[in-house]
Amino acid sequence: MPTSTPPRRALRAVAAALTLLTSVSVLAGCGKSEPGSTADGKTVLRYQGATGQVSPYELAEDLGYFSKISLRWEGDTTSGPANIQAAATNQVEFGSAFNGAVVKLIAGGAKVTAVLSSYGSDEQSFTGYFVRDDSGINSARDLIGKKVGVNTLGAHHEFITREWLHQQGLSDKEIKQVELTVVPPANTEDALRKGQIEVGTLGSVFRETAVERGGIHPLFTDKGLFGTFDYGTYVFRNDFIAKNPDAVKDFVQGTARATRWLQVTPREEVQARFTSIIEKRGRNENTGLIKYWKSSGIPVPGAVIDQKELQIWIDWLVRNGELKEGQLKATDLFTNKDNPYANGTYTPQSGPTGEAVAAK
């Protein structure tokens, strides 16, 4: 991780955008009742997905890695903060978001725990901040007075943008003049090409399809700032974990194994599996994006959480006066206890499905 400290302005922007999360703890009991079990006794876990994409936990279910849980799709989301708010307020059992949003959620009083890394940047999968080739934008200073499209405020894309501007030497006043505009990921490329925004945040298949069409290039990337790194986690409500420890353990071990399967399985095999899953689930989705999938995006085997991925946000909140020194400790916000890869002993040996298995 770089040693530069993000400006207080950047953290204030993130904190302000996440204020809606500070009240979720009082709403946690106001959601739907838990969905119960299937006829064969499996605990049902509600979740929000992503159109045209397959998550590691959806893959885990398809691979047969779950024995005690059954997933139930409740719709799609494109916002991490909204996804973990849904989990905290009992709309779904678990959610995934940028770790800064997770820390802010817990700092606001929500009783949730991170159990597994959910996304990040590796050598092949990362988020780029793209400009048109004919835009004339070549530096951070060129963005003053311009619009940067992000998927939501107060999360990964905003933080990376403001941190890059800071590292490039812009003052807090100048950074304030760079306008962050919320644009759904599916619309970002079009908005960029039409000139509605000057910078478009593109990751995963959206980046790959846009690059293939040409005419754009990245001004900067998250990997360029931080290298390969896990940026987000899955969280569960603490009361659900207490009542359903076996279900949470099954989710973690299965999703960790599925993540490892993605990390060691040939790309073509992964793409074929994803296509099959999308076709079987019958949500009227386009499978055309699957051919652009490159990697899991998670550099750590089995998605094990490292405390520094949460501690960095705690430190910033303390410096900004949002938290008192010692109020939160990273080790209290997450657990790796159910992850079969947590001890770091795994081998490239494959089982019948091509999964890399943990050493005994």
Side-chain angles (χ1 to χ4, degrees), residues 28 48 82-96 112 235-237:
Q48 296 173 331
N83 190 214
I84 59 174
Q85 184 187 19
T89 55
N90 201 17
Q91 305 303 307
V92 292
E93 271 56 72
F94 63 90
S96 162
V112 299
V235 300
F236 278 82
R237 295 183 307 280

Side-chain angles (χ1 to χ4, degrees), residues 50-54 185-187 189 202-213 267 270-272 274-275 278 281 285-295:
T51 302
Q53 299 178 57
V54 177
N187 303 116
E189 180 191 353
L202 297 168
S204 139
V205 294
F206 299 110
R207 184 191 72 247
E208 294 300 315
T209 55
V211 169
E212 185 178 72
R213 282 183 276 273
R267 180 183 175 191
V270 173
Q271 292 170 325
F274 280 0
T275 299
I278 290 175
R281 67 192 186 192
E285 300 166 277
N286 180 8
T287 60
L289 296 178
I290 297 301
K291 68 179 181 179
Y292 299 100
W293 184 91
K294 284 191 172 181
S295 69

Side-chain angles (χ1 to χ4, degrees), residues 10-328:
L11 186 55
R12 286 196 297 270
V14 173
L18 287 170
T19 52
L20 68 105
L21 295 177
T22 63
S23 62
V24 297
S25 60
V26 299
L27 298 174
C30 300
K32 302 174 183 177
S33 60
E34 293 176 9
S37 304
T38 62
D40 58 357
K42 294 180 180 179
T43 301
V44 175
L45 301 187
R46 300 164 296 174
Y47 74 95
Q48 296 173 331
T51 302
Q53 299 178 57
V54 177
S55 69
Y57 50 83
E58 288 172 317
L59 172 65
E61 185 169 57
D62 192 69
L63 289 170
Y65 288 170
F66 297 141
S67 61
K68 298 180 180 180
I69 64 171
S70 177
L71 301 178
R72 191 172 86 193
W73 177 66
E74 295 289 312
D76 292 327
T77 184
T78 59
S79 167
N83 190 214
I84 59 174
Q85 184 187 19
T89 55
N90 201 17
Q91 305 303 307
V92 292
E93 271 56 72
F94 63 90
S96 162
F98 175 53
N99 283 327
V102 171
V103 171
K104 185 64 179 178
L105 181 75
I106 296 174
K111 306 299 183 182
V112 299
T113 296
V115 298
L116 194 72
S117 289
S118 58
Y119 80 94
S121 294
D122 60 19
E123 293 299 334
Q124 294 179 298
S125 299
F126 52 89
T127 297
Y129 297 76
F130 284 80
V131 297
R132 297 190 311 276
D133 291 345
D134 62 357
S135 68
I137 296 174
N138 300 299
S139 69
R141 193 157 298 279
D142 293 332
L143 295 185
I144 296 175
K146 303 296 195 302
K147 295 181 179 180
V148 177
V150 297
N151 71 322
T152 189
L153 295 175
H156 184 160
H157 295 169
E158 176 172 353
F159 160 67
I160 293 295
T161 300
R162 295 193 181 279
E163 169 65 357
W164 182 77
L165 293 171
H166 170 66
Q167 290 192 14
Q168 294 298 304
L170 267 63
S171 67
D172 286 357
K173 182 178 179 180
E174 290 169 330
I175 291 173
K176 187 177 181 179
Q177 296 175 58
V178 179
E179 182 179 349
L180 298 177
T181 302
V182 175
V183 183
N187 303 116
T188 299
E189 180 191 353
D190 186 57
L192 176 64
R193 294 189 186 278
K194 289 181 177 178
Q196 296 168 342
I197 55 177
E198 280 73 34
V199 179
T201 306
L202 297 168
S204 139
V205 294
F206 299 110
R207 184 191 72 247
E208 294 300 315
T209 55
V211 169
E212 185 178 72
R213 282 183 276 273
I216 63 173
H217 64 273
L219 184 62
F220 60 97
T221 68
D222 58 4
K223 187 163 69 71
L225 265 68
F226 292 103
T228 57
F229 196 70
D230 286 338
Y231 286 109
T233 47
Y234 296 111
V235 300
F236 278 82
R237 295 183 307 280
N238 292 349
D239 61 346
F240 185 85
I241 294 174
K243 294 177 183 177
N244 305 276
D246 290 341
V248 175
K249 181 176 183 178
D250 197 38
F251 171 87
V252 172
Q253 66 81 28
T255 305
R257 290 167 62 198
T259 299
R260 189 60 183 154
W261 187 90
L262 291 172
Q263 293 169 331
V264 301
T265 302
R267 180 183 175 191
E268 295 75 13
E269 186 177 340
V270 173
Q271 292 170 325
R273 193 89 189 201
F274 280 0
T275 299
S276 172
I277 292 171
I278 290 175
E279 290 175 345
K280 286 188 296 184
R281 67 192 186 192
R283 299 179 194 167
N284 195 30
E285 300 166 277
N286 180 8
T287 60
L289 296 178
I290 297 301
K291 68 179 181 179
Y292 299 100
W293 184 91
K294 284 191 172 181
S295 69
S296 71
I298 297 179
V300 180
V304 176
I305 301 171
D306 190 314
Q307 71 179 64
K308 68 182 180 182
E309 297 156 2
L310 293 164
Q311 187 64 50
I312 186 173
W313 277 95
I314 295 173
D315 294 341
W316 291 348
L317 289 168
V318 169
R319 286 195 295 268
N320 194 54
E322 296 287 325
L323 290 177
K324 295 180 181 179
E325 185 74 40
Q327 182 178 339
L328 290 181

